[in-house]
Amino acid sequence: MTKRLRQRLLFLALPLAAMAGCRSAESPAPAAVAAGALRGYNVLLVTIDTLRADHVGAYGSPLGLTPTLDRLAKEGLRFDVAHAHVPMTLPSHTTIMTGLYPPANGVRDNGAFRFDRTRPTLASALGAAGYRTAAFIGSFVLDARFGLNAGFDLYDDRLNGSSANLDVVQRTAEQVLAPAYDWITTKGSGLRAQGSEHPWSTVSPQPSALSPSSSGPSPQPSGLGSSSALRPQPSALDDRPWFVWVHLYDPHEPYTPPEPFASRYSQDPYSGEIAYADQAVGRFLDRLRAAGPALERTLIVIASDHGESLGEHGERTHGLFAYEATLRVPLIAWAPAVLKPAVSAAPARLVDLAPTVLDLVGVATPANLDGRSLRAAAPGDDPGSYFEALNANLTRNWAPLKGMLHGRRKLIDLPIPELYDLAADPGEQHNIYAARRDEARDLESRLDRLAGSGAAPPTPVPIDPDADARLRSLGYIVRPSAAPARKYTQADDPKQLVPLNTALDEAAAMRARGETPQAIAVLRDVLRRRPDFTVAYDRLAFMLRSSGHLADAIAVADEAARAGRADRTLLRTLGSMYTEAGDARRALAILEPLAQQDASDVETLDTLAQTYARSRRSRDAEATFRKALALSPNAATTWSNLGALYLMEDRSADAREALMRAVSINPDLATAHNALGVAYARTGDANRAVEEWRRALALQPDFADARANLERVGAR
């Protein structure tokens, strides 16, 4: 073990809360600031995904990873103890934007939930007050289809990569910050989003002399590489204040920092990604300062959506538990002319971020929020902080986790309940629930008032009677919209099931190393030990399918559906696999009721459209793709699929336009470049066709269709 790694592990042994206090005494308490003290200021919100507070120098880290954040904290207002409410990206950012806890904003997990826009957001409130608004997103998990584009004039979620191999679809900090800089320095009006004029989508046509894909549509639901192209437009200068949200995904797993950080932190790539993100933010701010007065009247807020466990309590990353490693986050506000350097000891929560910003800039705060402004919060002003971690319940059928933090007492409500005194035990190593039942009962009462005593966690979308009947006619039983009343036992407690969660991670790691048969064996053993582990069925089906065992993959998903262990995601996967197997009738019998039930489910719409295209129902396919792109206009894969559909219909000009949109959004889509080559060839532009096929091969050297197309025209 290297010296650097030994230092890091020693550092991690120092509890989070203990480290925070050592800095507080060195800095003054916040000076009184009037409401609206930053009226007319721009607002720059930077959220750095998966950033533990104890890896930030201003919060006591000795690692030297965050000089930019440390400087902002030194010059601004740092909240000494700030907490997230759910250790998952989409629900946490929904809480940030709405000022509402997850039970109130309706977003409880990644992927399967969407913000319904029935409540105002920070962006919509600022927009209504005259602000121009733009967001620049680093990961598909915050794609527009999930609803957080509400209130933004521009929502730039252009991403690279593909979900076909379970890759994380994201872009680097520099790729996020570059368009944000352009938008800010052109006062926002110089750029506009494209992709909404023609909400198209795509599937591959049948093979032809020049075939976009001889294998048909991608087996996975498309759109996971979604993005939006930007085109400069001349316009008059706009002097209205702006609100920009920048989301940086880099510290999130997989930890793959660029050089020189990869070499410098080869033993600790998580820290390397933090150091890279911090440097990118610093360079971004330096460029803004050099470009003019953009930062002179700007409130900068830095936060993280959640932390990272790094093996503590048996959790490798985040989402399973809700210990301080994943709930404790940094929170910094910077506006030197008004906010004097200080450290606030008032308990801060991410649900407080939106009302605090609105209060400072003098914009009316929406009514009935769970959060409150921290502008004048005192150390004793502690409303308590609700938290939850429902991913294991929603995807594994384990006991739901929720809890309450008040003062330095923390309750985790599970079949094996937990109570911690964070002042005496900041590492949460000693469960004192049995010894201090009075304190536990107080927190349980607070939790029941907020979350509802015995309330079951929701599932994303209910299945209506018609859809349920159609699925049951196939022998499939879908979990109901509200889990049936049941008493979770200690056997359902996530603490008891950590080995199964570890096995799921190990299976993914095995597959990444090329050990797919071993990974499949691990997943089969997991399901033998826990037959209701829904997400394990989906992972197993994916691995079987991607390794050429489609019939076995269908059998796995079919068995789960017949046993009532399938959710919408697994049923969608099953429908997609039936499409790939050529059984469009059965695929449509599954996918049509799912799309009927939830018209905002982009993945289901896209998969259904691909099935229509395979069935030569081109009009239905195009209409369904349009519905998908109306919800997520920046889905590069869907544009690519639509271009392939147009090629199938000999609409080469339309195909070329759709495919050009796809590659302008995501230049790394080899299938789109190949299909674009076909479109050029059909319109007589052989040189461009060859260029696109070569590009497809450069991206995917084993792409047989692109190679065959080059051979047909005598090129290499």
Side-chain angles (χ1 to χ4, degrees):
M1 183 179 292
T2 67
K3 181 178 180 181
R4 179 188 298 132
L5 183 57
R6 287 199 301 271
Q7 289 174 337
R8 174 174 178 260
L9 293 175
L10 179 61
F11 164 67
L12 288 180
L14 185 58
L16 285 154
M19 297 179 58
C22 68
R23 298 271 303 180
S24 300
E26 302 172 6
S27 303
V33 177
L38 301 177
R39 190 179 305 276
Y41 269 51
N42 306 312
V43 177
L44 173 61
L45 170 62
V46 179
T47 57
I48 303 177
D49 214 293
T50 323
L51 174 59
R52 284 176 64 126
D54 67 359
H55 276 53
V56 178
Y59 286 84
S61 170
L63 299 178
L65 306 175
T66 56
T68 300
L69 300 192
D70 299 344
R71 184 176 70 251
L72 292 171
K74 183 177 180 180
E75 297 173 356
L77 175 59
R78 178 173 67 84
F79 293 93
D80 196 35
V81 180
H83 282 91
H85 309 286
V86 53
M88 298 293 277
T89 297
L90 177 63
S92 188
H93 279 94
T94 305
T95 294
I96 288 172
M97 289 295 165
T98 62
L100 296 168
Y101 285 135
N105 66 47
V107 179
R108 318 297 286 273
D109 196 13
N110 288 343
F113 289 83
R114 286 169 290 281
F115 176 56
D116 64 10
R117 310 181 188 212
T118 58
R119 298 295 302 268
T121 65
L122 178 59
S124 65
L126 290 172
Y131 278 71
R132 287 168 290 109
T133 59
F136 301 87
I137 302 306
S139 169
F140 169 73
V141 74
L142 296 177
D143 185 276
R145 71 188 65 188
F146 302 119
L148 283 189
N149 61 338
F152 285 102
D153 302 328
L154 171 68
Y155 198 83
D156 179 359
D157 53 1
R158 293 174 294 165
L159 302 170
N160 297 326
S162 167
S163 65
N165 294 312
L166 290 182
D167 295 332
V168 176
V169 182
Q170 65 180 90
R171 54 179 170 172
T172 66
E174 290 168 297
Q175 292 170 328
V176 174
L177 293 166
Y181 171 83
D182 291 340
W183 191 89
I184 291 171
T185 55
T186 56
K187 294 186 178 292
S189 58
L191 296 171
R192 69 181 179 89
Q194 286 187 12
S196 57
E197 300 99 319
H198 304 286
W200 299 336
S201 326
T202 66
V203 289
S204 302
Q206 297 299 317
S208 63
L210 293 174
S211 174
S213 171
S214 61
S215 60
S218 167
Q220 287 299 103
S222 63
L224 296 186
S226 65
S227 32
S228 66
L230 301 176
R231 175 190 302 163
Q233 296 290 325
S235 60
L237 294 179
D238 191 334
D239 290 326
R240 291 178 297 158
W242 46 260
F243 167 49
V244 167
W245 168 32
V246 169
H247 165 250
L248 306 182
Y249 198 64
D250 299 271
H252 198 285
E253 190 197 32
Y255 314 130
T256 55
E259 292 293 356
F261 302 97
S263 298
R264 189 179 302 161
Y265 296 96
S266 60
Q267 299 294 322
D268 184 8
Y270 172 68
S271 290
E273 289 217 327
I274 293 172
Y276 163 67
D278 182 86
Q279 181 188 84
V281 172
R283 290 178 173 176
F284 171 67
L285 296 178
D286 289 343
R287 290 184 69 200
L288 286 178
R289 289 189 186 93
L295 295 184
E296 289 182 3
R297 288 177 55 82
T298 296
L299 167 64
I300 299 177
V301 179
I302 307 285
S304 177
D305 56 344
H306 55 75
E308 189 77 315
S309 192
L310 300 175
E312 296 181 26
H313 294 90
E315 183 178 24
R316 188 173 60 87
T317 57
H318 59 269
L320 179 63
F321 294 130
Y323 297 111
E324 293 295 275
T326 60
L327 288 189
R328 177 82 184 283
V329 294
L331 180 59
I332 298 164
W334 180 93
V338 178
L339 299 180
K340 303 305 180 184
V343 174
S344 173
R349 311 166 298 172
L350 291 184
V351 77
D352 299 324
L353 193 154
T356 300
V357 169
L358 294 173
D359 185 21
L360 286 171
V361 300
V363 173
T365 301
N368 301 317
L369 298 187
D370 292 316
R372 90 290 197 206
S373 174
L374 297 171
R375 175 183 56 82
D381 178 13
D382 185 2
S385 185
Y386 169 83
F387 58 86
E388 65 182 33
L390 301 184
N391 178 266
N393 175 255
L394 294 167
T395 67
R396 296 158 170 77
N397 300 302
W398 300 352
L401 185 159
K402 54 187 177 180
M404 180 64 65
L405 176 68
H406 187 258
R408 303 309 295 154
R409 299 173 303 158
K410 181 177 181 180
L411 170 77
I412 299 175
D413 184 26
L414 281 170
I416 304 174
E418 301 168 64
L419 179 69
Y420 297 102
D421 180 347
L422 295 180
D425 178 24
E428 296 163 290
Q429 299 298 312
H430 307 290
N431 182 3
I432 58 174
Y433 182 87
R436 293 162 70 168
R437 291 298 308 276
D438 287 345
E439 294 181 33
R441 276 192 288 269
D442 173 62
L443 291 176
E444 287 167 343
S445 176
R446 292 173 183 270
L447 178 61
D448 288 344
R449 287 196 297 271
L450 190 146
S453 178
T459 52
V461 178
I463 296 293
D464 67 17
D466 178 64
D468 183 65
R470 294 178 66 182
L471 293 169
R472 283 180 182 273
S473 71
L474 301 174
Y476 300 145
I477 303 169
V478 186
R479 288 210 310 264
S481 58
R486 60 167 288 194
K487 181 177 178 58
Y488 289 98
T489 69
Q490 292 189 1
D492 301 309
D493 193 301
K495 295 187 292 295
Q496 305 288 86
L497 297 167
V498 167
L500 293 183
N501 200 67
T502 301
L504 196 70
D505 290 338
E506 289 175 348
M510 288 176 180
R511 182 182 178 277
R513 294 193 300 266
E515 302 168 2
T516 300
Q518 296 91 326
I520 289 172
V522 168
L523 290 175
R524 289 194 185 280
D525 181 64
V526 166
L527 288 171
R528 179 187 59 78
R529 296 157 63 189
R530 185 82 185 190
D532 62 349
F533 200 161
T534 299
V535 72
Y537 287 104
D538 195 66
R539 297 277 181 90
L540 177 58
F542 175 86
M543 290 188 188
L544 289 166
R545 179 186 196 177
S546 63
S547 59
H549 302 285
L550 180 60
D552 291 339
I554 290 174
V556 166
D558 185 89
E559 177 187 356
R562 293 180 185 279
R565 293 166 179 154
D567 57 9
R568 288 180 59 89
T569 299
L570 186 55
L571 279 173
R572 182 174 63 238
T573 298
L574 180 58
S576 176
M577 290 191 295
Y578 275 126
T579 298
E580 187 179 349
D583 192 344
R585 181 193 63 82
R586 199 167 188 87
L588 292 173
I590 295 171
L591 296 170
E592 284 182 333
L594 292 180
Q596 170 191 337
Q597 179 57 34
D598 183 7
S600 64
D601 183 347
V602 172
E603 288 81 5
T604 294
L605 290 172
D606 192 273
T607 307
L608 175 60
Q610 293 185 44
T611 307
Y612 283 143
R614 284 284 189 93
S615 305
R616 294 289 177 170
R617 293 171 58 176
S618 298
R619 184 173 298 179
D620 290 334
E622 182 176 359
T624 305
F625 279 133
R626 288 180 182 272
K627 290 178 182 177
L629 281 170
L631 294 164
S632 183
N634 309 320
T637 309
T638 307
W639 287 105
S640 177
N641 288 339
L642 181 62
L645 174 65
Y646 285 156
L647 286 176
M648 185 175 69
E649 297 179 312
D650 292 324
R651 295 167 60 180
S652 297
D654 290 335
R656 187 174 64 241
E657 183 178 352
L659 293 163
M660 289 177 66
R661 286 175 180 269
V663 298
S664 69
I665 291 167
N666 184 355
D668 296 337
L669 280 180
T671 54
H673 284 287
N674 181 59
L676 184 55
V678 175
Y680 280 132
R682 289 185 180 179
T683 55
D685 195 338
N687 289 335
R688 288 191 177 181
V690 168
E691 181 182 334
E692 292 298 329
W693 291 328
R694 285 175 173 164
R695 175 62 176 158
L697 275 177
L699 290 166
Q700 187 177 324
D702 62 348
F703 199 162
D705 293 318
R707 189 176 303 280
N709 287 335
L710 284 169
E711 291 173 353
R712 288 188 184 105
V713 298
R716 292 184 178 180

